[in-house]
Amino acid sequence: MKLFSPLRLLVGPLLLLLSGAGQAQMPAAPTPIFAGVPQENVALAAPEFKLFDQKFYDNQLFLLGESHGVARPQELDFALLKHLNQRAGVRTYVAEVDCAKAYYLNEYLRTGQDSTLRLVFRSWVAGTIQWGNQEFFTKVQRIRALNQTLPAARRIRFIGLDEIQDLPLAADYAQTLLGTRPVPAPLRASLDSVLTLLRRADVGTLAVVGQRAARLLAAQAVRYRQALGSATYDNLALLLGNIFRPAGFGREDMLVANFEVQYQTQQLAHEKLYGLWGLAHVLQSSIQGNFRSMAARLGQGVPLRGKVVSVLCVFSGCQMLYPTAGLPTPWQMAGQPYSVTDKFNHDGPLSVLTGLSELKQRTAPGSTTLFRLNAPEAATTRQPIEVRYAPGVPAGQQIQFSAALPAAAYVQYLVLVRDSGPVQALTPPAAGQTAGK
């Protein structure tokens, strides 16, 4: 369930909009919801983040929400990560990637081999997914460069929480975990079947075979942990647990389950954690249908209760790189895998965040501005927030915030991004190009 962000299957509803159904309407008399909200212009080359107080840094999990396909959040992500590393000792990046991609991201950070980093981006590029972009690729390179300046104890590493995103890469990862260890039978035969199906991307059979291997591994945990070593056992168990999803187990359930497992196995109890996520994942209170995102579940449960803080990017005048096939024909760049569009800003045409016009009056074109919604004097600690949608946008693609909750119950900080360009699609290296550093 991806909410409050562009989705790839909106073609039908968007065509309704284009045929005259209208645009999201601005309220006639906007509520001064952002009255008393302090703000800070963020110069991304040298940000100060003066709005963050000690209570902010006392949190354990810091989340930044974005709309995939806009360029500036990638810059903000690196700036905030670097700041939190320096100010709060954050070194663990909990990422919207799977455990296999996280492994190869860490291998890149260790070796600097761009060919390793390209393995992470391979499925995104092949699948025309916005994450396969040059700005993200460059950001990881910048993280490695930052690591080279840091003592070993403060160097950044990735932990992946998402479902498996590249089945053949997951097979390579599993084979790397096992190495040359003699794996006892019958686990060896079961794992061989899993690896074969992963490499074939045989989804139909994989779930059953993967579930069988996961149960076998758990049933003889003491024996296999001793044979494989604790770290390999834990990583393999996590991977196998992500191959199948039980009935009724949604994506947010999987993200939280993966977090809980890695919180234990990676011994994260005393670690500060940070990550950039699609903006729906960082909302900390329930929306319509009592739906709770990853941040809401983690922030309201053990062990992170009251220790999660969310910073949400909203957009005005921005351009987004979007898969062409997911757009209606009038918005498409014909013959291109991606198109650039300005239709997904939060001041229209598809959605309007109440009060955004107020924030625009307080900021300059091209700016990046941080707002503290949970400041004691801010109206956002008392007043609800609302998003209005154009006719034809399906209810399942909308976010309806509770009128009984203030805006600060959902996110504590807002970043208004104005006039950002789109990310650039990452292209495969040319034939014969050196794949190394």
Side-chain angles (χ1 to χ4, degrees):
M1 186 178 186
K2 286 207 172 185
L3 298 164
F4 200 38
S5 59
L7 299 182
R8 302 189 64 171
L9 301 177
L10 282 175
V11 177
L14 292 177
L15 288 175
L16 289 176
L17 298 175
L18 292 169
S19 64
Q23 294 189 353
Q25 298 299 307
M26 295 291 292
T31 304
I33 183 174
F34 296 105
V37 174
Q39 68 188 72
E40 174 189 357
N41 184 62
V42 178
L44 292 174
E48 299 184 61
F49 296 117
K50 291 180 178 180
L51 278 187
F52 296 152
D53 61 0
Q54 186 55 50
K55 185 177 180 181
F56 172 85
Y57 297 110
D58 287 341
N59 287 287
Q60 186 176 4
L61 176 60
F62 306 85
L63 295 171
L64 176 63
E66 70 149 353
S67 287
H68 305 321
V70 181
R72 202 175 304 154
Q74 296 294 329
E75 298 180 65
L76 179 61
D77 180 38
F78 178 78
L80 188 52
L81 174 64
K82 182 179 179 180
H83 175 78
L84 289 171
N85 178 268
Q86 294 171 342
R87 180 65 174 76
V90 169
R91 63 172 187 162
T92 301
Y93 193 119
V94 286
E96 196 173 346
V97 302
D98 63 30
C99 56
K101 290 197 174 193
Y103 169 81
Y104 287 103
L105 283 168
N106 290 329
E107 279 297 288
Y108 167 75
L109 295 181
R110 183 179 67 85
T111 66
Q113 292 294 315
D114 281 359
S115 56
T116 301
L117 184 54
R118 284 194 175 272
L119 289 175
V120 175
F121 284 77
R122 180 180 65 188
S123 65
W124 297 328
V125 172
T128 318
I129 297 171
Q130 290 154 302
W131 280 57
N133 65 74
Q134 183 62 55
E135 284 76 5
F136 186 4
F137 192 93
T138 300
K139 180 184 68 182
V140 181
Q141 293 176 317
R142 295 180 71 190
I143 293 173
R144 182 175 191 276
L146 174 62
N147 272 358
Q148 300 305 108
T149 71
L150 299 174
R154 278 186 43 214
R155 289 179 183 167
I156 295 157
R157 58 169 178 165
F158 286 88
I159 288 179
L161 302 185
D162 219 331
E163 303 169 296
I164 296 176
Q165 299 164 330
D166 185 334
L167 297 180
L169 189 65
D172 294 341
Y173 169 57
Q175 188 63 64
T176 299
L177 288 176
L178 296 172
T180 58
R181 291 180 178 86
V183 181
L187 181 61
R188 175 80 265 179
S190 184
L191 291 177
D192 285 344
S193 297
V194 170
L195 296 184
T196 297
L197 294 171
L198 284 171
R199 291 197 170 99
R200 292 177 181 170
D202 187 347
V203 178
T205 311
L206 180 59
V208 174
V209 175
Q211 185 175 24
R212 186 183 305 135
R215 288 174 175 171
L216 179 59
L217 189 68
Q220 300 187 48
V222 174
R223 176 191 180 196
Y224 292 136
R225 185 179 292 275
Q226 184 176 15
L228 300 174
S230 289
T232 296
Y233 177 92
D234 290 336
N235 289 326
L236 188 61
L238 178 68
L239 176 64
L240 291 174
N242 278 263
I243 287 176
F244 64 95
R245 183 196 288 182
F249 203 68
R251 186 174 175 219
E252 303 298 309
D253 298 306
M254 184 68 79
L255 296 175
V256 172
N258 285 339
F259 178 89
E260 291 173 344
V261 168
Q262 300 218 58
Y263 193 85
Q264 296 297 323
T265 61
Q266 301 293 330
Q267 300 179 345
L268 300 178
H270 302 293
E271 290 280 343
K272 298 279 192 177
L273 315 168
Y274 168 79
L276 172 69
W277 288 77
L279 53 80
H281 298 295
V282 311
L283 302 177
Q284 291 188 35
S285 294
S286 300
I287 55 173
Q288 72 269 23
N290 201 33
F291 176 83
R292 295 191 304 153
S293 71
M294 176 188 72
R297 300 183 197 199
L298 293 178
Q300 296 169 15
V302 177
L304 295 185
R305 186 184 304 277
K307 298 180 181 179
V308 179
V309 62
S310 296
V311 182
L312 178 65
C313 293
V314 293
F315 302 91
S316 174
C318 295
Q319 294 182 314
M320 173 183 290
L321 188 74
Y322 202 89
T324 297
L327 293 171
T329 302
W331 297 356
Q332 292 182 0
M333 297 172 63
Q336 300 298 315
Y338 293 98
S339 295
V340 174
T341 178
D342 61 358
K343 305 302 183 184
F344 295 106
N345 286 287
H346 294 124
D347 52 359
L350 299 182
S351 65
V352 172
L353 177 68
T354 302
L356 188 59
S357 58
E358 176 188 346
L359 297 185
K360 287 176 65 177
Q361 291 175 1
R362 295 165 53 177
T363 59
S367 60
T368 303
T369 310
L370 178 68
F371 296 88
R372 183 183 172 192
L373 303 190
N374 65 348
E377 68 276 16
T380 42
T381 62
R382 304 179 299 277
Q383 296 189 25
I385 197 165
E386 181 183 7
V387 180
R388 297 172 181 266
Y389 294 90
V393 175
Q397 312 285 332
Q398 300 182 19
I399 282 183
Q400 300 297 336
F401 295 103
S402 171
L405 294 174
Y410 287 95
V411 296
Q412 292 69 56
Y413 291 83
L414 206 67
V415 177
L416 174 56
V417 178
R418 297 189 61 180
D419 309 311
S420 171
V423 296
Q424 303 299 309
L426 183 66
T427 57
Q433 180 177 327
T434 302
K437 185 175 179 180

